[in-house]
Structures are given as C-alpha cells and as structure tokens.
Amino acid sequence: MLDTPDAVMAALRENDARPYGRTRTVTAEELVDAAEQFEDTGVRSMALLELMEAYEYDGERSKSPVVFARLLKLWDQDPDGFGEWARHQVFWRFKWVAAALMDTPDVPLAAIRRWHTELRDRYRAAGYDLQPYYAQRYHLAAQTGVAVQDAYELWTARPRTELSDCHACETRARARHFIEAGDDARGLEILAPVLDGRSTCEQEPYLSQATALLPLLRRGRLDEARSAHLTGYRFARGKASMLHAVGLHIEFCALSGNEPRGLELLAENRDLFAVAGEPAARLEFLTGVEVLVAGLAAAGHGELAVSGPAGTSWTVDTLLAHLRGEADALAARFDARNGTDAVSAARRARLAVEPLLAEPLALGVRAAAAPELSTAQAAPAPRRTVEAEPEDFAALVLRARELEVVGHPDADRLWKRIAERAGADGFVHPGGDELGGPERLAAELAEQHAHEALQRDDHAEGAAGLLAAAELYERAGLPGPALMVRTRTLIVELDDVEGAVADWTALDAALARAEEQRAAGTLTDDDYLIILQSRAYAAHHDLVEALPEPSAQTAARFEAAVGAYRQTALALGSARRAATSRQYTADAAARQGRLTEAAAELREVLAQLDAAELPWHTPRVLGLLGQVLLQDGEPAQAAEVFHRALAEAVRWGDDSYPYAPTYMMLGHASMRVEDLGGAVRALSEAAARYDRQGETAVEEAAQVRLQLADVLRGTGRSADAVAVLESVLDAAGAGLDERMLAQARLDLARGLVELDEYRDAAEEYLRLADLVADWEDQQTHTMVACEATLALAQADRWDAAEAALGRAREAHGKAPQVDQLAATLRELARLTMRDKGAEGLDAALALLAEADAIGEAAERTGEEYSGWYLRGGSHYERGRCLAVADRHEEALAEVERAIAVYEQGGERAESPRAESVRLAALIEGGDLGRPQAAVARLTAGIARCKAAGLREAAQILGELRERFAVN
C-alpha cells in the first residue's frame, strides 16, 4: 500500500534497483501518481526524478521535458524541500532536457536556444560555471553543422565543473568531433582512456566502443575493433537507451564483411524498431541497418528474408525500401528544423561507405543467420595474376586438361567456366579429334562435380558422382579414365565410415586391369599414376588406423604401395606424383614418432617441387611440415611455416586447401610462443572458416571457439571470451557433443563470474548441473554444484545457494571432491560475513566447522586431499570472520594457527602463509593497537618472502610495515 510518504520512498528505492526497461518505467509513472497525494516536496521530487531517469534509459527521452517542467515548478515553489542529492539533480538534468529537445525534430530551433539561455541563467544564479552550457551549444552546432569548430573551442577551452558531463561521456563527444572531421587517429587517441577502462560510467566504455568501431577498422587496428565489437555489443544488445550504438554495431558488421552476423544482430534487436521516443537515435539506428541491407541488395540478395519491424514479413528489398522512406523523411525533418542539410548529408556519407576490408574480419563468434552468405565466401581471392581464359572453347578445354595433369589450381576455375559455357542455351559442341566428343566432355564435367562434393566432405554425393562419371566415360569409349574413376570410388568411404578398411581385393583387381589397359594403350600415364596413388592412400589409411602397433602385413603393404607409386612417378617424370608419395611417407613417420625423419623428408619434397617449378603444390607440404614441427616442440618454426603455407595457398587461389585446420594449428603454435594476439587472430579465422563448411563442421568450429575463449580469458579479455562462448551455445548448442556442451557452459559460467555477472553465471551453472547430474563421473557434478553455490551467493540468491550447496554435498557423498567442497564452504563463510556482518558469524563458523569435518572424514577414509591447505584455510577464514565481528584476540589466535599449519606445506604454502602474516599484522597493529609487534611480524615475513622468491608479497608486506612504522 502506497498510503504514506515512507511507503512511496521504499517503493522508489525498490524500483531504482530494477534494470531499465518497460517494467521500471511503468512503475515509475505509477509512483509519480502515488506521490502526488502528499504535500511532501521531497517525495514528489524523488518520484519525478526517478521517472525522468526511467525515460532517459528506456528510449523515451522525448517525454523528459514535460516531467522536468513539473519538477522545476516544484523547485521554484519549494527549493528547501529538496534533499541534497535531488538539488544537485535538478541542475544536472537541465542538460538532459537540452539533449531531449535537440534530438526531437518537432521542437523549434528557437525553443532549444531559449532553453540553453534558461540553463545558462539558472547556472549563473546558482553560482555554477558555464562549461556545461557551452557543451550544449556545441552539441547543437554539431547537429546543425553551423560554426562547429568555434563552438567546440568555446566548450573545450573551459575547465570541467561539477555539472559537466562525466569524464567518459565528454571524452567520447570530443573524440567524435575529430572522427566526424576525418581525423580517426586523433579521435582514437582521445578515446584511449575510455577504451582501456581508465574512465567509465553507466554506459561507458560501451558507447565509446561503438563509436570507435569504424575508425579502428580504417586505421587497421583489427584486433581492437574485434574486441570493441564483442564487448560493446554484449552490453548494448536489446537496450533502448543504446539504440544508436546497436546501429553502429550492425553497420560495423556490414563494413567488415560480417553480413551474417549483422543479420543476427538485426534479429536480436527487432524490438528496437518500436522505440520511437528518441528520434535522433532512431535515425542513427535506421541508417546503420540500412548500410547492411543496402549492401546485401547490391550483392543480389534482395529476396533474402530478414528481420524488421514486427507485424510484417520482410525481405532485403522490402526492408530497404521501408528504411529509406522513414529515415529520409526523418532526416529531412531535422534539416527543416535546423535550416541546414547537415543531418541528411551525414546520413548520405554513411550510406556511401564501401566495405573497409578486402576479406571478412574474423570475429570469433558464430552467426547462424543466412548461412548461404557465409558459405559463399569460401576462400580469399588469389593474390597473383591469373592467365586469361582462352576464348575458343576447344582451347579452353585443352588448357584445363593440361593444368589438371600438373595439379594447377587454375584448372578448377577453367572447368567451372567450361561448365557454364556448355550449359548455356544454344551451346554447340565444336567436335574434333583432340577435343573429343560431347560424351567425353560430359564425363569430365561429372568428374569435376564429384571433386567439388568431395571437397565439401560430402562423400556420398562424391562417390555417386564418380560412378556416374565412370559410366559416361565408358559410353564415350574411354575405358582408361573409367577405370581410374572407379578405382577412386574404392577409397572414398575410407574418409566417411569410421573403422573402414580398404578393399584390397578390389584394389588389386583394379591394378590388374590397369596393367592390361596400359599394355593395350588405353590408359594414360597420369590415370595409371592416379590408380597407384589410390592404392598408396588406402595403404596409408590402413597403417594409420592400425597405429600404434600395425601388423607386419599392414606395414609391408604400405611400403610396397607407396614405393611402387613413387618409383613409377619418377620413371614417368611426374615430380608432382613423386612428391605426393613422399608426403605419405613423411606423415607415417610423424605419426610413429619419427619427427626428425618426417621433417627432413618434407623439406626434401619442398626442394623437389621447387626444382620442378611446381610451387602451387607447396602449401599442403608446408602445412604438414608445420604440424610436424609443432609436434616436435618447435612452435616458433611451426608458426612461420604455417604462415608460409597460408600465404602460398592464397597466392595460388587454392579453394580446396584446408584453411580452417591450418589456422587452428597456427593458433596453437602462437599460443606456445606466447603470441596471444596472433593466437586470437588465427583461432578467430579458423572458427570462421569452419563456419563456412556448414553443418559438417559445427563441432570443429565450437572446439576452436572454446580454445579461443580460453586464450581471451588468459589475456584478461573475459567479456570477449563470454561473447564467443555465448555464440557457441546460442548458435550451435543443440548439435554439440554433450561433453563439449558442458565444457562450453562451464567456461561461460566462469567467464560471467569474472565479469561480476553473478545471476547469469548462476543460471549457467544450474543448467550445467542438470546436464551432468546423471553422468557416471559425479566429481564433475560436485565441482559444478560448488561453483554454482558461490555464484548464487554472490548474486544474493541465498536460498538457491543453499539448495545448490545441498546438491554439492550429495554429489560429494557419491564422488568426493574434498578440497573443492571445503574451499566452497570457506568462501561461503566469507560471503556470509560480507552480507550479514557480525550477525552472520554463527552461520559462517558453522560452515567452517563443516569444512574441517570434511577434511577429518577424508583423513579417516583415506581420500586424497591437501590437508595443510584445508586446515590452514579454515583457520585463516575463521580469523577473518572473527575480525569482522570485532573479536580481535580470537581472530589473531586463529590466524596464527593458520601460519603454523602452513609451515607443514613447504614451498607451496609460502604464498598463503604470507597472506596470513599480512592479516595477522593488520589485526595486531590496527585493531589491537600493537604496531611494534606488527612491524616485527612483518619484518620476519618480508625476509621469508624474499627468500622464497615472492617479490610481490614482500612488497605488500613492506608497504604495510611502513604504515605501522610511521604510527
């Protein structure tokens, strides 16, 4: 019941704790009505201020001036009825009203300037400096485009005051001034203290991260751009008050080659189309979305279904028409009000920007929207000049055949062109003995189609395609190519069926027929070598499947098949095939631990390819060499080789090259040499490449993202890591292996804890606990329940924390995790004291007693645990709890017991022992007033830390000693 001023104030405090959104706004409106029944200026003013704040952060800024008019009237009537905070807010929110008026095109320019004058006069009368007044004049000048530089100088020349916008927000405004003038470098330099976290506020650094996205791209600072997007978008997502920022993130996706991600953001923020209370921010949002959909329309995706305003189904074309109509009209309204075309000109400039990168920037997150857009970007464009395609159709086919024999990547391009021309209306086969008839061409095109399916790992389609090609070759009277293609079908299932072994009866029969055809002159040398390669491949597969202890027959068959392939290739002068045979040998040696031998073999292959002038075959050899070097403990060399492999693959435009695994291994090598930035780039690219393979590589992409998130967390970029992990679960969670899904949830929960997002972390832990509850490995359940307990306690959900602790106890009974459960109880004791103070002492001590009992039970049953760590930790935490309850003598005694127990732990115990010395000195020198004793204790502790090599601990103790020595 809101029948007293105190009840209304209590309700205002409760509402203030709610997140911004419709519920808080509606409640604030109701509380203003409730406050009006009392002649209490303090309550009425607080209710109006709460309503203004709700509008400000719920996309309803245009309603603020009306509320503020009521507040100002109340102020003029009874200023003494305002509390100290409310008095300050009256003057602070003059600026909110100025911004709301400026951002609403229906408010005349003269009215905005009158308000500026009102603000100036009120500030002067109250004794405030006018820097905020000049800031508002600048913001208006920036929108109208009139005398912008003069207004900027008048504002920034004045020192900040207590009513200036927060430092972070002013910094962003100053940076935007230079960015919009084309000086990205200066703008980013100004933004640095906000972007690196030195200056923050309610919405910072997130708004500044959105502002910096395109400047970072333009300056080539791609790692920072990626991080700004991942971190900034997580905060902005779905928030009406971040409408402008969401538009910038969507625009960033469009201009960084991440259109599928942009469409996903559009879908996630569909409700923001309904936010109409901030016209200027709405215009920025609509323009950012238009950049995305206009680019898709220009690329020919006009019929693609996309998200737009609720109530209608949208395609790219229909949404683009809608956006243009509304945004152009809204910009025109601003220009009409301002008397300039500055707003429309700024909008046109944004829409005119072309994509800023030649290739998509790998963001590390998975986008499930519009997979057809992702798969269309299969590989980067070649970096070399490619030969012109022959105009004559016969010459085109003959050239494709020539390139096919030497394995040149341009052969694929030419065959695709041949297929296009042969499939065109009115095509007439030119005939001729050298070209062959249309039946041969049909067979060749069918074979190429099968190759494409195999490159996509669609083995069923590939095998069917090869059989169809074989039949076409036979109809064309070409038994040699038919035999070669049929032989290849014998090895297709080896990649597709787990545990499959080669059909050597069929392979031997194929070899016998090949010998007959060769003698009859119906089998070309290259087709014969392909049959021998198929046998070598099968023998290599069987050897690998039989490792680590292959039978003598399997090993001998491998040596024979690969040896015959190599010797025949050399005899026939095929350096390409000879090099391939040696790759089988090197790979087998590496898999059997003969890494030096494998590396030497691969380096000889590279030399052989160089001598034969076949450089387009080097990328795969380099990739294998990199693997061998990485396995051999040479990550720096491996990273260099992987870079070379990728560069050569790009140079030759090899669409079939395994880019994703190579980037993944490059990421591993970079991690090993502590090039964490390089690891992030490589793993992000690997994940993006796996995404382009579609559903066949979902688990591989997810696994790479788990590794990427681990690297990001290791570099302190937990928000980036969380964004990556959320994308794994949002986009691919249902298709993941259960254990991989569990690992992703665990990593996400831990990342959220690092971000102090305890409620979300607790939800993830509880989902994870349900997932692992029935696992045979109940130790995992114990661990998860323990971590969930602490997250729930941190989120002040104590009843749920107690329930989770019950699950942890139950799981511990089935699969003991002594150290973890004891640590959970200790931390829960600390949180209890933090939350309840001295009143929580009994509960905290009971938790610590339980931790001790767990250790004692483990001692009796012989469970493995760290006794000194458990007992020492309990004494330490008990001492801290007693100190919080002002029972200082008892606290000191407990901490001294901890120090004594830590003596039993040897070197591993030096760090917790040093912390116990610090706490004992604080209690002794501060709470008990014995500074000399504390100094003596610290002096001994410092010496011990130095002897143990704990420099940081020694420094901390030293600073504390100086403090007590002065006293």
Side-chain angles (χ1 to χ4, degrees), residues 884-899:
V884 171
D886 294 331
R887 291 165 58 174
H888 299 119
E889 290 288 2
E890 296 171 79
L892 180 59
E894 280 296 329
V895 180
E896 287 181 331
R897 292 186 187 101
I899 294 170

Side-chain angles (χ1 to χ4, degrees), residues 103 240-245 278-286 334:
D103 290 347
S241 62
M242 302 289 283
L243 189 63
H244 177 201
E278 296 187 25
R282 180 174 180 81
L283 177 59
E284 298 286 352
F285 170 73
L286 295 176
F334 274 105

Side-chain angles (χ1 to χ4, degrees), residues 652-960:
W652 291 104
D654 188 351
D655 292 356
S656 66
Y657 183 77
Y659 287 98
T662 305
Y663 273 112
M664 180 182 68
M665 291 184 291
L666 174 58
H668 297 168
S670 299
M671 284 190 282
R672 295 267 294 276
V673 297
E674 298 185 358
D675 176 13
L676 298 184
V680 168
R681 288 189 290 275
L683 293 173
S684 297
E685 187 65 38
R689 299 279 178 172
Y690 278 125
D691 285 346
R692 294 173 195 169
Q693 296 177 25
E695 295 301 315
T696 62
V698 168
E699 287 210 355
E700 289 86 346
Q703 187 62 59
V704 169
R705 288 192 167 94
L706 293 182
Q707 297 167 8
L708 171 61
D710 192 50
V711 175
L712 290 167
R713 285 181 62 199
T715 59
R717 290 158 60 184
S718 295
D720 293 27
V722 163
V724 170
L725 292 166
E726 286 175 337
S727 80
V728 171
L729 294 170
D730 290 347
L736 295 185
D737 169 78
E738 187 178 74
R739 290 195 174 269
M740 189 182 295
L741 178 61
Q743 186 64 58
R745 288 211 181 280
L746 178 61
D747 290 349
L748 175 57
R750 288 172 172 171
L752 290 166
V753 167
E754 291 169 3
L755 295 177
D756 297 337
E757 296 180 21
Y758 298 113
R759 287 183 179 272
D760 290 341
E763 292 298 326
E764 290 298 333
Y765 276 124
L766 293 176
R767 291 190 189 101
L768 180 56
D770 291 339
L771 179 64
V772 305
D774 296 329
W775 284 11
E776 184 177 341
D777 173 17
Q778 281 295 296
Q779 289 183 334
T780 302
H781 190 197
T782 307
M783 173 196 69
V784 171
C786 284
E787 295 188 26
T789 298
L790 297 179
L792 287 162
Q794 291 276 25
D796 291 326
R797 294 174 60 185
W798 286 96
D799 290 344
E802 182 59 40
L805 182 59
R807 293 180 73 165
R809 289 171 177 139
E810 182 181 353
H812 173 76
K814 299 175 184 177
Q817 288 278 66
V818 178
D819 287 321
Q820 178 144 29
L821 183 54
T824 299
L825 291 165
R826 289 196 301 272
E827 180 63 10
L828 202 56
R830 184 189 71 81
L831 294 172
T832 299
M833 295 302 294
R834 184 200 68 179
D835 189 62
K836 301 177 181 177
E839 293 180 3
L841 181 61
D842 288 344
L845 293 178
L847 291 167
L848 294 171
E850 184 181 350
D852 288 336
I854 288 170
E856 292 164 4
E859 194 74 37
R860 290 192 299 271
T861 59
E863 289 291 339
E864 185 176 343
Y865 79 108
S866 180
W868 64 265
Y869 189 79
L870 188 154
R871 291 191 298 276
S874 288
H875 285 305
Y876 171 86
E877 201 57 61
R878 193 176 290 111
R880 187 156 62 175
C881 291
L882 290 164
V884 171
D886 294 331
R887 291 165 58 174
H888 299 119
E889 290 288 2
E890 296 171 79
L892 180 59
E894 280 296 329
V895 180
E896 287 181 331
R897 292 186 187 101
I899 294 170
V901 170
Y902 285 140
E903 292 288 350
Q904 303 168 17
E907 272 186 37
R908 293 176 300 165
E910 287 298 328
S911 183
R913 183 187 184 281
E915 168 56 22
S916 297
V917 168
R918 185 193 69 83
L919 180 57
L922 279 171
I923 296 170
E924 194 169 35
D927 298 320
L928 295 175
R930 305 171 195 163
Q932 291 182 338
V935 167
R937 184 188 297 275
L938 290 166
T939 300
I942 291 166
R944 183 155 178 164
C945 287
K946 289 180 177 178
L950 301 176
R951 294 182 180 179
E952 185 176 353
Q955 182 180 350
I956 291 170
L957 296 183
E959 291 171 356
L960 186 57

Side-chain angles (χ1 to χ4, degrees), residues 75 84-92 94 119-133 161-164:
W75 168 265
E84 182 178 351
W85 180 82
R87 285 197 297 273
H88 182 269
Q89 286 299 307
V90 168
F91 289 97
W92 183 269
F94 266 95
L119 181 155
R120 181 194 64 193
D121 294 345
R122 293 269 188 170
Y123 276 29
R124 274 180 177 163
Y128 292 117
D129 187 82
L130 296 183
Q131 192 259 17
Y133 160 72
T161 75
E162 62 180 299
L163 288 176
S164 296

Side-chain angles (χ1 to χ4, degrees), residues 528-537 559-571 574 576-582 584:
Y528 180 57
L529 286 171
I530 292 174
I531 292 170
L532 293 179
Q533 181 179 355
S534 298
R535 293 173 57 82
Y537 181 91
E559 295 295 336
V562 173
Y565 179 36
R566 180 179 306 169
Q567 293 303 318
T568 305
L570 291 172
S574 177
R576 169 201 179 190
R577 304 292 182 188
T580 302
S581 72
R582 298 185 73 171
Y584 289 132

Side-chain angles (χ1 to χ4, degrees), residues 403-537:
L403 294 176
E404 185 79 21
V405 170
V406 294
H408 197 290
D410 278 358
D412 291 340
R413 176 174 58 86
L414 296 187
W415 282 117
K416 288 176 183 176
R417 182 65 182 136
I418 292 166
E420 291 173 3
R421 291 177 63 174
D425 291 341
F427 171 75
V428 177
H429 190 282
D433 292 341
E434 190 174 15
L435 178 62
E439 298 84 0
R440 176 179 179 181
L441 181 62
E444 289 172 320
L445 291 176
E447 184 182 356
Q448 293 301 317
H449 183 75
H451 291 173
E452 293 171 5
L454 293 173
Q455 288 176 13
R456 297 192 306 270
D457 290 331
D458 189 339
H459 298 101
E461 182 182 338
L466 289 174
L467 288 174
E471 292 179 3
L472 289 169
Y473 277 125
E474 287 165 352
R475 290 179 199 167
L478 297 169
L483 175 61
M484 177 271 292
V485 171
R486 287 190 184 279
T487 304
R488 290 187 60 201
T489 65
L490 298 176
I491 62 172
V492 168
E493 74 168 12
L494 299 182
D495 290 324
D496 192 33
V497 179
E498 186 175 353
V501 294
D503 183 349
W504 284 101
T505 300
L507 286 166
D508 288 342
L511 178 61
R513 289 195 298 275
E515 299 292 357
E516 293 171 1
Q517 288 190 9
R518 199 173 178 217
T522 58
L523 185 68
T524 66
D525 288 347
D526 198 58
D527 285 347
Y528 180 57
L529 286 171
I530 292 174
I531 292 170
L532 293 179
Q533 181 179 355
S534 298
R535 293 173 57 82
Y537 181 91

